[in-house]
PDB file of all heavy atoms in Angstrom:
ATOM      1  N   SER A  11      -4.567 -17.633  -9.562  1.00  0.00           N
ATOM      2  CA  SER A  11      -4.137 -18.839  -8.857  1.00  0.00           C
ATOM      3  C   SER A  11      -2.645 -18.817  -8.540  1.00  0.00           C
ATOM      4  O   SER A  11      -2.120 -19.773  -7.955  1.00  0.00           O
ATOM      5  CB  SER A  11      -4.476 -20.075  -9.702  1.00  0.00           C
ATOM      6  OG  SER A  11      -5.866 -20.146  -9.958  1.00  0.00           O
ATOM      7  N   VAL A  24       5.763  -7.102 -19.878  1.00  0.00           N
ATOM      8  CA  VAL A  24       5.319  -5.771 -20.317  1.00  0.00           C
ATOM      9  C   VAL A  24       6.446  -4.798 -19.988  1.00  0.00           C
ATOM     10  O   VAL A  24       6.402  -4.049 -19.017  1.00  0.00           O
ATOM     11  CB  VAL A  24       4.008  -5.363 -19.625  1.00  0.00           C
ATOM     12  CG1 VAL A  24       3.517  -4.027 -20.170  1.00  0.00           C
ATOM     13  CG2 VAL A  24       2.953  -6.428 -19.814  1.00  0.00           C
ATOM     14  N   ILE A  29       9.386   5.335 -16.954  1.00  0.00           N
ATOM     15  CA  ILE A  29       9.187   5.618 -15.524  1.00  0.00           C
ATOM     16  C   ILE A  29       8.427   6.925 -15.337  1.00  0.00           C
ATOM     17  O   ILE A  29       8.792   7.956 -15.901  1.00  0.00           O
ATOM     18  CB  ILE A  29      10.553   5.683 -14.804  1.00  0.00           C
ATOM     19  CG1 ILE A  29      11.237   4.317 -14.889  1.00  0.00           C
ATOM     20  CG2 ILE A  29      10.374   6.112 -13.350  1.00  0.00           C
ATOM     21  CD1 ILE A  29      12.672   4.334 -14.463  1.00  0.00           C
ATOM     22  N   GLY A  30       7.382   6.851 -14.547  1.00  0.00           N
ATOM     23  CA  GLY A  30       6.636   8.056 -14.210  1.00  0.00           C
ATOM     24  C   GLY A  30       7.230   8.695 -12.963  1.00  0.00           C
ATOM     25  O   GLY A  30       6.831   8.351 -11.851  1.00  0.00           O
ATOM     26  N   SER A  76      -4.840  18.951  -5.401  1.00  0.00           N
ATOM     27  CA  SER A  76      -4.352  20.130  -6.131  1.00  0.00           C
ATOM     28  C   SER A  76      -4.741  20.132  -7.600  1.00  0.00           C
ATOM     29  O   SER A  76      -4.726  21.178  -8.247  1.00  0.00           O
ATOM     30  CB  SER A  76      -2.830  20.213  -6.026  1.00  0.00           C
ATOM     31  OG  SER A  76      -2.219  19.182  -6.795  1.00  0.00           O
ATOM     32  N   LEU A  88      20.610  10.224 -13.537  1.00  0.00           N
ATOM     33  CA  LEU A  88      19.739  10.504 -12.396  1.00  0.00           C
ATOM     34  C   LEU A  88      19.163   9.235 -11.781  1.00  0.00           C
ATOM     35  O   LEU A  88      18.309   9.316 -10.889  1.00  0.00           O
ATOM     36  CB  LEU A  88      18.586  11.415 -12.837  1.00  0.00           C
ATOM     37  CG  LEU A  88      18.980  12.830 -13.275  1.00  0.00           C
ATOM     38  CD1 LEU A  88      17.777  13.564 -13.858  1.00  0.00           C
ATOM     39  CD2 LEU A  88      19.575  13.609 -12.113  1.00  0.00           C
ATOM     40  N   ALA A  97      11.979   5.816  -1.765  1.00  0.00           N
ATOM     41  CA  ALA A  97      11.957   5.356  -0.375  1.00  0.00           C
ATOM     42  C   ALA A  97      10.608   5.647   0.281  1.00  0.00           C
ATOM     43  O   ALA A  97       9.984   6.680   0.031  1.00  0.00           O
ATOM     44  CB  ALA A  97      13.076   6.032   0.417  1.00  0.00           C
ATOM     45  N   GLU A 126      17.433  19.001 -12.475  1.00  0.00           N
ATOM     46  CA  GLU A 126      18.458  18.176 -13.114  1.00  0.00           C
ATOM     47  C   GLU A 126      17.899  17.329 -14.255  1.00  0.00           C
ATOM     48  O   GLU A 126      18.665  16.820 -15.088  1.00  0.00           O
ATOM     49  CB  GLU A 126      19.106  17.257 -12.077  1.00  0.00           C
ATOM     50  CG  GLU A 126      19.982  17.981 -11.054  1.00  0.00           C
ATOM     51  CD  GLU A 126      19.198  18.588  -9.909  1.00  0.00           C
ATOM     52  OE1 GLU A 126      17.936  18.472  -9.899  1.00  0.00           O
ATOM     53  OE2 GLU A 126      19.812  19.200  -9.021  1.00  0.00           O
ATOM     54  N   PHE A 131       7.253  17.671 -17.910  1.00  0.00           N
ATOM     55  CA  PHE A 131       5.886  17.904 -18.388  1.00  0.00           C
ATOM     56  C   PHE A 131       5.068  18.472 -17.228  1.00  0.00           C
ATOM     57  O   PHE A 131       4.935  17.820 -16.194  1.00  0.00           O
ATOM     58  CB  PHE A 131       5.209  16.611 -18.839  1.00  0.00           C
ATOM     59  CG  PHE A 131       5.736  15.999 -20.111  1.00  0.00           C
ATOM     60  CD1 PHE A 131       5.213  14.792 -20.543  1.00  0.00           C
ATOM     61  CD2 PHE A 131       6.722  16.601 -20.872  1.00  0.00           C
ATOM     62  CE1 PHE A 131       5.673  14.195 -21.719  1.00  0.00           C
ATOM     63  CE2 PHE A 131       7.193  16.017 -22.037  1.00  0.00           C
ATOM     64  CZ  PHE A 131       6.658  14.802 -22.462  1.00  0.00           C
ATOM     65  N   GLN A 137      -8.465  12.922 -15.092  1.00  0.00           N
ATOM     66  CA  GLN A 137      -9.245  11.836 -14.514  1.00  0.00           C
ATOM     67  C   GLN A 137      -8.446  11.133 -13.425  1.00  0.00           C
ATOM     68  O   GLN A 137      -7.232  10.963 -13.557  1.00  0.00           O
ATOM     69  CB  GLN A 137      -9.625  10.799 -15.574  1.00  0.00           C
ATOM     70  CG  GLN A 137     -10.616  11.283 -16.616  1.00  0.00           C
ATOM     71  CD  GLN A 137     -10.799  10.247 -17.711  1.00  0.00           C
ATOM     72  OE1 GLN A 137     -10.032  10.222 -18.671  1.00  0.00           O
ATOM     73  NE2 GLN A 137     -11.799   9.394 -17.574  1.00  0.00           N
ATOM     74  N   LEU A 138      -9.154  10.727 -12.375  1.00  0.00           N
ATOM     75  CA  LEU A 138      -8.582   9.900 -11.319  1.00  0.00           C
ATOM     76  C   LEU A 138      -9.512   8.709 -11.173  1.00  0.00           C
ATOM     77  O   LEU A 138     -10.646   8.841 -10.730  1.00  0.00           O
ATOM     78  CB  LEU A 138      -8.476  10.688 -10.011  1.00  0.00           C
ATOM     79  CG  LEU A 138      -7.952   9.925  -8.789  1.00  0.00           C
ATOM     80  CD1 LEU A 138      -6.581   9.316  -9.054  1.00  0.00           C
ATOM     81  CD2 LEU A 138      -7.893  10.838  -7.569  1.00  0.00           C
ATOM     82  N   ASP A 143     -11.647  -5.079 -10.875  1.00  0.00           N
ATOM     83  CA  ASP A 143     -11.415  -6.329 -11.586  1.00  0.00           C
ATOM     84  C   ASP A 143     -12.628  -6.686 -12.438  1.00  0.00           C
ATOM     85  O   ASP A 143     -13.592  -5.910 -12.540  1.00  0.00           O
ATOM     86  CB  ASP A 143     -11.045  -7.450 -10.616  1.00  0.00           C
ATOM     87  CG  ASP A 143     -12.168  -7.812  -9.649  1.00  0.00           C
ATOM     88  OD1 ASP A 143     -13.327  -7.395  -9.874  1.00  0.00           O
ATOM     89  OD2 ASP A 143     -11.891  -8.517  -8.652  1.00  0.00           O
ATOM     90  N   LEU A 153      -5.564   4.996 -11.207  1.00  0.00           N
ATOM     91  CA  LEU A 153      -4.969   5.505 -12.437  1.00  0.00           C
ATOM     92  C   LEU A 153      -5.136   7.018 -12.468  1.00  0.00           C
ATOM     93  O   LEU A 153      -6.259   7.530 -12.375  1.00  0.00           O
ATOM     94  CB  LEU A 153      -5.642   4.878 -13.658  1.00  0.00           C
ATOM     95  CG  LEU A 153      -5.216   5.401 -15.024  1.00  0.00           C
ATOM     96  CD1 LEU A 153      -3.738   5.133 -15.284  1.00  0.00           C
ATOM     97  CD2 LEU A 153      -6.072   4.780 -16.133  1.00  0.00           C
ATOM     98  N   LYS A 177      19.880  10.148 -26.887  1.00  0.00           N
ATOM     99  CA  LYS A 177      20.795  11.126 -26.302  1.00  0.00           C
ATOM    100  C   LYS A 177      20.363  11.526 -24.899  1.00  0.00           C
ATOM    101  O   LYS A 177      21.192  11.870 -24.053  1.00  0.00           O
ATOM    102  CB  LYS A 177      20.892  12.352 -27.205  1.00  0.00           C
ATOM    103  CG  LYS A 177      21.984  13.329 -26.822  1.00  0.00           C
ATOM    104  CD  LYS A 177      22.096  14.450 -27.846  1.00  0.00           C
ATOM    105  CE  LYS A 177      23.213  15.417 -27.497  1.00  0.00           C
ATOM    106  NZ  LYS A 177      23.336  16.517 -28.493  1.00  0.00           N
ATOM    107  N   LEU A 201      10.926   1.712 -39.166  1.00  0.00           N
ATOM    108  CA  LEU A 201       9.882   1.104 -39.979  1.00  0.00           C
ATOM    109  C   LEU A 201       8.942   2.207 -40.438  1.00  0.00           C
ATOM    110  O   LEU A 201       8.607   3.111 -39.671  1.00  0.00           O
ATOM    111  CB  LEU A 201       9.087   0.071 -39.181  1.00  0.00           C
ATOM    112  CG  LEU A 201       9.851  -1.170 -38.685  1.00  0.00           C
ATOM    113  CD1 LEU A 201       8.953  -1.994 -37.769  1.00  0.00           C
ATOM    114  CD2 LEU A 201      10.336  -2.009 -39.858  1.00  0.00           C
TER     115      LEU A 201
END
Side-chain angles (χ1 to χ4, degrees):
S11 301
V24 184
I29 297 169
S76 71
L88 294 173
E126 290 82 359
F131 290 177
Q137 292 173 274
L138 177 57
D143 65 14
L153 175 63
K177 190 175 182 180
L201 296 173

